[in-house]
């Protein structure tokens, strides 16, 4: 339909529907019963999804906005806010990034603001805007620091240390 996508109830995913087009409307029929009606679109957004056509779990997130994620991220700091903004901008439609944002922000909960900000800065520098990439950086920040070179990781009578060879 001229590059536009119109929704039908989610229960009809994979099913064949018949479409009737007029100059002003698009109607979708499944087995002779009308299941959706939309105003025809000739400009603007390419997707037209009615909330009642979404599963309940998706409807909950449909009411969210990119600003809600940015303000949640701003509570950690400016790097985290920029990271969430970059995730939202990396998708064609911001709604496609909501699940990534939710997962990343929830993963940040047990960490200090300094750890989150450092991981966010590294993710921005590496352009790592996927859930897996960001979570691996967060987990690396959350793990304990390796032992310093002055102090061996373990002590044992068979470990000679750096002074033995001088």
């Amino acid at each position: 339909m001229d590059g536009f996508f119109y929704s039908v109830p989610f229960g009809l995913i994979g099913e064949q529907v018949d479409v009737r087009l007029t100059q002003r409307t698009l109607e979708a029929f499944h087995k002779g019963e009308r299941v959706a009606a939309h105003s025809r679109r000739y400009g603007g957004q390419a997707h037209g999804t009615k909330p009642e056509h979404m599963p309940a779990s998706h409807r909950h997130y449909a009411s969210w906005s990119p600003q809600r994620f940015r303000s949640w991220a701003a509570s950690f700091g400016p790097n985290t806010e920029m990271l969430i903004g970059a995730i939202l901008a990396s998708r064609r439609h911001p709604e496609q990034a909501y699940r990534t944002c939710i997962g990343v922000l929830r993963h940040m909960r047990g960490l200090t603001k300094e750890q989150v900000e450092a991981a966010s800065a590294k993710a921005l520098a590496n352009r790592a805007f996927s859930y897996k990439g960001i979570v691996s950086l967060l987990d690396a920040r959350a793990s304990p620091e390796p032992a310093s070179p002055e102090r061996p990781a373990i002590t044992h009578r068979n470990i000679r240390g750096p002074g033995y060879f001088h």
Side-chain angles (χ1 to χ4, degrees), residues 7-27:
S7 65
V8 296
F10 74 95
L12 296 176
I13 292 174
E15 296 288 325
Q16 181 175 342
V17 294
D18 298 315
V19 177
R20 179 171 49 195
L21 293 171
T22 67
Q23 194 168 8
R24 293 186 175 172
T25 62
L26 174 140
E27 295 176 297

Side-chain angles (χ1 to χ4, degrees), residues 72 98-108 131 135 138:
W72 186 2
Y98 285 4
R99 288 179 57 130
T100 301
C101 291
I102 289 167
V104 166
L105 289 166
R106 283 187 179 157
H107 202 84
M108 293 175 175
Y131 174 79
V135 166
L138 289 168

Side-chain angles (χ1 to χ4, degrees), residues 11-155:
L12 296 176
I13 292 174
E15 296 288 325
Q16 181 175 342
V17 294
D18 298 315
V19 177
R20 179 171 49 195
L21 293 171
T22 67
Q23 194 168 8
R24 293 186 175 172
T25 62
L26 174 140
E27 295 176 297
F29 295 88
H30 181 254
K31 297 182 180 175
E33 181 182 341
R34 187 171 98 167
V35 293
H38 295 272
S39 296
R40 283 289 298 272
R41 301 161 71 139
Y42 294 99
Q45 293 183 336
H47 290 80
T49 304
K50 291 186 175 183
E52 61 267 18
H53 292 168
M54 298 177 181
S57 60
H58 291 199
R59 254 182 267 141
H60 172 70
Y61 298 118
S63 64
W64 289 25
S65 69
Q67 187 54 40
R68 181 173 180 171
F69 290 107
R70 285 190 181 97
S71 61
W72 186 2
S75 68
F76 290 101
N79 288 331
T80 309
E81 185 178 5
M82 286 193 313
L83 175 62
I84 293 300
I87 293 169
L88 291 165
S90 70
R91 305 303 199 293
R92 186 169 181 203
H93 302 284
E95 294 82 4
Q96 295 171 336
Y98 285 4
R99 288 179 57 130
T100 301
C101 291
I102 289 167
V104 166
L105 289 166
R106 283 187 179 157
H107 202 84
M108 293 175 175
R109 281 187 180 157
L111 303 174
T112 66
K113 288 184 179 187
E114 292 78 21
Q115 290 172 321
V116 170
E117 278 292 285
S120 296
K122 190 161 189 171
L124 284 165
N126 295 340
R127 301 190 52 77
F129 302 141
S130 70
Y131 174 79
K132 281 185 171 184
I134 297 166
V135 166
S136 68
L137 290 171
L138 289 168
D139 289 344
R141 296 285 175 193
S143 64
E145 293 294 318
S148 66
E150 297 86 33
R151 197 176 113 237
I154 57 171
T155 56

